Amino acid sequence: MEFKRDPRFGRLIPAMVTPFDQNLELDLDRAQQLADRLVAGGVDAIIVNGTTGESPTVFYPQKLELFRAVLRAVGGRVPVIANVGDNCTADTVYFAQDAAKLGVDGFMCVVPYYNKPPQEGLYRHFKTIADSTDMPIILYNIPGRCSINMEAETTLRLAHNCDNIVAIKEASGNLDQVKAIIEGAPAGFDVYSGDDSATLDIMRLGGVGVISTIGNVAPERMKEIVELAAADRWEEAEEANAALLPLMTGLFATANPILVKEALKLVGFPVGGVRLPLVDATPEQSAALAAIMREVGVLA
């Protein structure tokens, strides 16, 4: 896998939060403003309604409204990737078809959660989705949320057998597994870190960048890190990473995206609260977060 090739969707892809109004209904105007803010911050693409976008509590018709609004705001300046993944293969296929009609540039599909399929089931799930569309697909492996890990062998099978499976967001925390995927992947298959704090470790192995949470709050800072790493300026990348690392980890002091939404509020760009069963940050959590944000220079 060639490290210096420009990845299809770029190096910094924030998983955008989903703004809600005071009644916790979709705030599409704010979503468009946020998308525009991210593009202005230098992001290379945007993932809409991933985990950080509260995908479990945004229902299918609302997801389509959100995709449509973000596409309109972005206006082709960067790719818009729709998270269409579900734990029902048939539902994912049908929903992906609806999303494709809106003009999104790609899909992200998470490992099926709750069902606990064997590796062969994972392979068939993703291959069925890939066979149903011409759209490029990013796989998403996050055992901490899905209760199962998609093994390197399964990821590589999909990468080699499905031309439109073009990347994976790897959040397993297993660098040996990530290394095996990078070394065994076909040309043009991109491996992204699924955790901001693991980005440099994964890029050292040949990964291309990050699908990011902190990119919602400090896109310019995270973009600098991945671009320095891509340019082999590792000492500078490590310094920039160390300066931002307390916030990368601090945003996960409780369930994501509670604190990333709180962080946006603290920087003066409120995006509303979170939907149950998530709950908003406590005053104590907000104060601790604000202290970290001041420490890293994101908040004055």
Side-chain angles (χ1 to χ4, degrees):
M1 187 176 194
E2 188 180 349
F3 181 46
K4 294 304 177 189
R5 176 184 54 81
D6 284 338
R8 174 193 291 256
F9 291 122
R11 301 192 185 281
L12 174 61
I13 310 175
M16 192 181 103
V17 301
T18 298
F20 298 132
D21 65 19
Q22 60 187 5
N23 298 316
L24 294 180
E25 297 298 331
L26 284 184
D27 188 339
L28 296 177
D29 289 341
R30 199 56 161 167
Q32 291 187 312
Q33 292 163 8
L34 177 57
D36 189 63
R37 186 175 192 264
L38 294 175
V39 174
V43 306
D44 297 312
I46 296 173
I47 285 177
V48 183
N49 204 221
T51 309
T52 306
E54 295 177 71
S55 55
T57 53
V58 177
F59 302 109
Y60 281 155
Q62 295 178 329
K63 292 179 199 283
L64 293 173
E65 288 182 59
L66 192 58
F67 298 156
R68 192 179 290 112
V70 172
L71 280 165
R72 201 157 45 236
V74 168
R77 289 175 290 169
V78 300
V80 174
I81 302 159
N83 174 40
V84 298
D86 201 336
N87 64 339
C88 172
T89 307
D91 280 353
T92 304
V93 167
Y94 293 136
F95 183 58
Q97 291 169 353
D98 289 339
K101 292 171 187 171
L102 301 179
V104 297
D105 299 285
F107 296 142
M108 186 172 75
C109 295
V110 70
V111 164
Y113 41 89
Y114 194 79
N115 318 53
K116 298 184 77 171
Q119 295 298 308
E120 180 64 24
L122 294 180
Y123 176 78
R124 293 189 196 183
H125 170 79
F126 288 119
K127 189 168 191 309
T128 298
I129 297 165
D131 287 348
S132 75
T133 182
D134 294 327
M135 298 286 283
I137 294 169
I138 301 174
L139 306 174
Y140 182 15
N141 185 38
I142 180 163
R145 285 185 180 268
C146 296
S147 80
I148 55 167
N149 173 54
M150 184 159 67
E151 296 168 5
E153 181 183 2
T154 304
T155 299
L156 291 172
R157 236 180 120 191
L158 289 162
H160 283 282
N161 294 345
C162 305
D163 289 342
N164 59 328
I165 291 182
V166 301
I168 186 167
K169 177 182 179 181
E170 246 294 340
S172 65
N174 183 340
L175 289 179
D176 289 336
Q177 175 168 293
V178 173
K179 185 171 186 283
I181 294 168
I182 290 168
E183 291 180 349
F189 185 84
D190 294 323
V191 177
Y192 289 93
S193 174
D195 296 300
D196 290 305
S197 59
T199 302
L200 284 192
D201 289 337
I202 288 177
M203 290 188 75
R204 281 189 187 279
L205 296 174
V208 299
V210 60
I211 295 176
S212 173
T213 297
I214 202 171
N216 283 279
V217 182
E220 299 93 343
R221 296 275 296 273
M222 199 66 204
K223 180 71 177 289
E224 177 191 21
I225 292 166
V226 296
E227 292 296 341
L228 287 169
D232 280 338
R233 293 163 62 183
W234 288 103
E235 189 173 331
E236 293 167 85
E238 291 284 3
E239 287 178 8
N241 190 72
L244 196 57
L245 188 61
L247 184 56
M248 293 182 196
T249 55
L251 288 172
F252 287 85
T254 188
N256 187 43
I258 292 169
L259 292 182
V260 70
K261 281 193 158 181
E262 186 66 18
L264 283 166
K265 178 182 172 183
L266 288 168
V267 297
F269 193 91
V271 290
V274 292
R275 285 178 171 173
L276 287 169
L278 298 182
V279 292
D280 293 339
T282 65
E284 294 78 13
Q285 288 170 334
S286 181
L289 178 62
I292 294 169
M293 291 170 70
R294 290 190 192 95
E295 174 193 343
V296 304
V298 170
L299 190 63

